[in-house]
Amino acid sequence: MRQIALSTTASYQALETHALEAEDWLLRDLFAIDPARFPAFTVDAAGLFLDYSKNRLDARTLELLADLARERGVEDQRDAMFAGERINLSEHRAVLHTALRAPREPALMVDGQDVSADVHGVLERMRVFTDAVRAGIWLGHSGKPITDIVNIGIGGSDLGPKMVCLALRQYAHPRLKLHFVSNVDGHDLDAALGKVHPETTLFIIASKTFTTTETMMNAQSARAWFLERAGADALAKHFVAVSTNTEAIKTFGIDPANMFPFWDWVGGRYSVWSAIGLSVMLAVGHGYFSDLLAGAHALDLHFKEAPLEKNMPVLLAMIGFWNRQFLGCPSLSIAPYHQDLNRFPAYLQQLDMESNGKCVTKGGQPVDTLTCPVIWGDCGTNGQHAYFQLLHQGTDVTPIDFIAALRPGHEMGHHHAALLANCFAQSEAFMRGKTTAEVKQDLQGQGLTEAQITDLAPHKTFPGNRPSNTILMEYLTPYTLGALIALYEHKTFVQGVIWDVNSFDQWGVELGKVLAKKIEAELNGDAQPAQHDSSTNGLIAMAKAAV
Ligand code: F6P
């Protein structure tokens, strides 16, 4: 569907006018005048609960945002995605990560192909293989069970599996240690190889394209390391591949029988549900992997069926859009108050920023509003002792998504009470702030002199009025994690539709790759120095002199 420029739409213009009215709203007043704000601005789905009441908006704002979502065609685009239409226009591909977590029936037919049969066929092959490794039936070349798994991949072929394996560490097989190697920096592979033994290690080469420089270089080096320590016939027991590119896998020397395929309609950053999740299934087993898929599927159904006004990913997307465009917030901080989610912010960076970090529309026109904010963050409470100072008193307003489980996966209940207390206290502090009058009253209570109070008060004042969402689940389980990931996937999708950008390509990563190839050849002496700018020339000369 051809979109008109976002800022010229009637619903956008209505929001613009409304934003002027909302400019002076204070969150603490919004709570004071409406005791029912919490029940009104919360929603639950698929084991997740979202409290979006601590955002600078009211019911009218949400109505207008829903009008915008409708005018931009969110519902039609959503249905087109689920149906397997080729909504990734610049690559002419369908976008079907939702099919990866759908049940076998009803079958999804796309271009005459039974996609569900393909998906469940690969899942079954993954189950057989991972069961054998986990049970100690799949043995290394010298007859010993596998103890270590090294996943070699980057971007979506690393961030998803790594994040999920960490998040589900309590569900993992006790014998299997997972290692993730992504960086072309040899220190990464070197560190992993230093921890494993060739007789008991399984390498997974995970790459959608099987051409990504980093992964190919790490895979070749891992293979060379292995062959120095074991014969070539041992390779089949220790190297498997996950890819869409069978030919490249054969060329690399991996038997296609040891390849777990997926399809071009799975975007790298949406691929953890596919065979790219092989390391996850090895760690937690087929049952828990199925629970992960089931949680995501439950969220898919909610996204498909709930009205926009009560649709969790749509709400997150619309609120994010409001904060970005009308409150001018340049970034979004992700604060999981759960140590096992410590890679979740990094995972969301790729999901959101590679999807929506764009400045042209699907039709090639400049987007006439702001697009994706910078996504960043770290676990609470660690972040509180590092960058929360800026979040409370810095000059930019940074919205925060707090994420927590109501019940812990350990038995130190007092730790969990302290953790949740901090999580809730932070969102309260961001919302309320502390006025100068309140600060002065406190300081008077502490017996400070008027002069001391005057000096200190500005430093101890908190502007507050800073928006946040809180996402809660009962426990962090495979099911709730699946729902959480799918929640953010669909949020990203909805924002992409509103901005009319293609959330499923990533041309912006290409230029640096091409230039790096040229410079690499120059550094290796295989190419004459090209004419760069003086800075790049100078840096290349320094690197060459250091060899
Ligand atoms: O360069 C970016 C990118 O293409 C990501 O989108 C992708 O997740 C990553 O590289 C890895 O790609 P592949 O799985 O093909 O190795």
Side-chain angles (χ1 to χ4, degrees):
M1 183 171 76
R2 269 241 172 268
Q3 296 275 25
I4 60 166
L6 176 52
S7 72
T8 65
T9 59
S11 48
Y12 179 91
Q13 287 171 359
L15 271 164
E16 217 170 18
T17 310
H18 175 74
L20 292 175
E21 291 159 20
E23 223 166 41
D24 299 328
W25 289 357
L26 289 179
L27 271 170
R28 53 161 69 198
D29 295 345
L30 296 178
F31 274 96
I33 57 175
D34 181 7
R37 190 169 168 87
F38 177 73
F41 294 142
T42 51
V43 63
D44 56 290
L48 302 179
F49 173 86
L50 168 67
D51 170 13
Y52 53 99
S53 62
K54 291 192 181 94
N55 282 286
R56 256 155 67 184
L57 41 77
D58 69 359
R60 176 78 186 132
T61 321
L62 290 168
E63 254 173 56
L64 294 172
L65 285 164
D67 289 347
L68 177 74
R70 280 201 183 88
E71 188 173 353
R72 298 302 274 178
V74 165
E75 289 152 313
D76 289 348
Q77 289 285 307
R78 173 196 63 194
D79 296 346
M81 174 173 74
F82 277 96
E85 285 180 34
R86 294 180 192 271
I87 61 166
N88 175 355
L89 296 179
S90 72
E91 296 176 317
H92 199 55
R93 288 177 183 162
V95 174
L96 271 175
H97 46 278
T98 51
L100 297 167
R101 54 235 191 179
R104 172 69 186 86
E105 298 294 342
L108 175 68
M109 302 297 294
V110 177
D111 296 336
Q113 183 67 23
D114 185 345
V115 166
S116 323
D118 292 347
V119 166
H120 284 267
V122 174
L123 278 172
E124 177 57 12
R125 283 192 51 212
M126 288 167 68
R127 185 191 67 73
V128 170
F129 174 69
T130 57
D131 279 356
V133 173
R134 288 166 59 82
I137 296 168
W138 179 285
L139 301 172
H141 67 277
S142 61
K144 295 182 182 161
I146 299 296
T147 57
D148 291 86
I149 292 150
V150 181
N151 187 85
I152 296 180
I154 197 165
S157 302
D158 167 74
L159 288 162
K162 185 172 176 176
M163 180 275 285
V164 173
C165 284
L166 282 167
L168 301 183
R169 70 176 173 87
Q170 293 196 311
Y171 297 81
H173 193 292
R175 191 185 71 245
L176 297 174
K177 284 193 277 313
L178 273 293
H179 311 266
F180 289 86
V181 174
S182 54
N183 201 332
V184 76
D185 180 352
H187 295 107
D188 200 5
L189 181 62
D190 184 60
L193 293 180
K195 290 184 208 145
V196 301
H197 196 281
E199 287 176 84
T200 53
T201 299
L202 178 74
F203 292 90
I204 302 174
I205 315 301
S207 173
K208 177 174 172 181
T209 54
F210 229 72
T211 57
T212 305
T213 311
E214 291 89 338
T215 302
M216 290 303 102
M217 198 176 266
N218 280 323
Q220 292 291 358
S221 300
R223 186 172 183 269
W225 174 90
F226 181 81
L227 290 178
E228 272 169 28
R229 291 159 179 82
D233 5 328
L235 211 74
K237 287 279 166 206
H238 295 270
F239 278 75
V240 299
V242 178
S243 187
T244 57
N245 188 347
T246 315
E247 284 314 305
I249 278 168
K250 284 196 218 152
T251 312
F252 181 84
I254 292 180
D255 184 347
N258 289 341
M259 168 186 171
F260 297 88
F262 61 113
W263 307 272
D264 72 353
W265 42 258
V266 183
R269 50 195 175 272
Y270 300 87
S271 65
V272 69
W273 325 99
S274 72
I276 288 291
L278 189 66
S279 52
V280 176
M281 200 190 276
L282 281 161
V284 304
H286 174 260
Y288 288 134
F289 192 81
S290 300
D291 290 350
L292 181 83
L293 301 184
H297 180 64
L299 204 290
D300 291 343
L301 292 180
H302 166 79
F303 178 47
K304 258 168 120 170
E305 289 160 11
L308 298 187
E309 291 79 359
K310 280 289 163 198
N311 192 309
M312 200 184 281
V314 176
L315 283 162
L316 269 191
M318 297 191 309
I319 292 166
F321 173 77
W322 170 255
N323 289 341
R324 178 75 178 117
Q325 186 60 29
F326 296 110
L327 305 191
C329 303
S331 78
L332 168 68
S333 189
I334 306 295
Y337 275 64
H338 199 305
Q339 190 57 32
D340 293 344
L341 285 174
N342 67 53
R343 292 296 295 168
F344 194 59
Y347 173 80
L348 289 190
Q349 281 181 328
Q350 188 201 15
L351 174 63
D352 213 338
M353 292 161 77
E354 203 173 70
S355 295
N356 289 339
K358 318 257 160 93
C359 60
V360 292
T361 65
K362 289 179 194 155
Q365 302 305 312
V367 182
D368 63 345
T369 61
L370 300 171
T371 60
C372 188
V374 172
I375 310 291
W376 63 285
D378 196 1
C379 278
T381 60
N382 295 358
Q384 291 176 205
H385 298 272
Y387 53 78
F388 268 46
Q389 164 63 41
L390 177 147
L391 301 185
H392 282 290
Q393 291 185 316
T395 48
D396 278 322
V397 171
T398 306
I400 300 151
D401 282 359
F402 292 97
I403 302 169
L406 288 170
R407 295 170 194 264
H410 57 74
E411 292 187 349
M412 295 168 284
H414 60 299
H415 278 256
H416 203 62
L419 178 79
L420 290 183
N422 273 278
C423 178
F424 303 159
Q426 288 297 331
S427 75
E428 185 179 21
F430 284 120
M431 184 276 284
R432 287 190 64 77
K434 191 164 182 179
T435 63
T436 306
E438 287 167 344
V439 171
K440 285 187 171 169
Q441 200 180 15
D442 265 11
L443 296 177
Q444 274 156 4
Q446 291 166 25
L448 270 69
T449 65
E450 274 313 305
Q452 287 171 320
I453 291 172
T454 307
D455 281 351
L456 262 182
H459 302 284
K460 290 190 156 249
T461 297
F462 288 69
N465 214 21
R466 302 195 166 204
S468 69
N469 294 303
T470 301
I471 298 168
L472 297 178
M473 59 200 93
E474 190 182 3
Y475 286 103
L476 178 64
T477 63
Y479 185 93
T480 54
L481 179 65
L484 183 69
I485 302 169
L487 169 65
Y488 278 94
E489 284 181 349
H490 294 320
K491 172 208 162 177
T492 301
F493 170 80
V494 171
Q495 291 192 333
V497 174
I498 293 177
W499 287 316
D500 189 30
V501 298
N502 182 354
S503 302
F504 302 104
D505 60 13
Q506 57 283 322
W507 299 107
V509 301
E510 296 302 324
L511 177 60
K513 285 187 192 173
V514 172
L515 293 181
K517 278 276 164 227
K518 280 193 192 150
I519 296 177
E520 191 183 335
E522 290 173 42
L523 288 179
N524 288 330
D526 304 334
Q528 290 301 317
Q531 273 313 305
H532 303 278
D533 56 90
S534 65
S535 160
T536 311
N537 282 335
L539 297 170
I540 292 172
M542 285 179 74
K544 287 183 99 157
V547 175

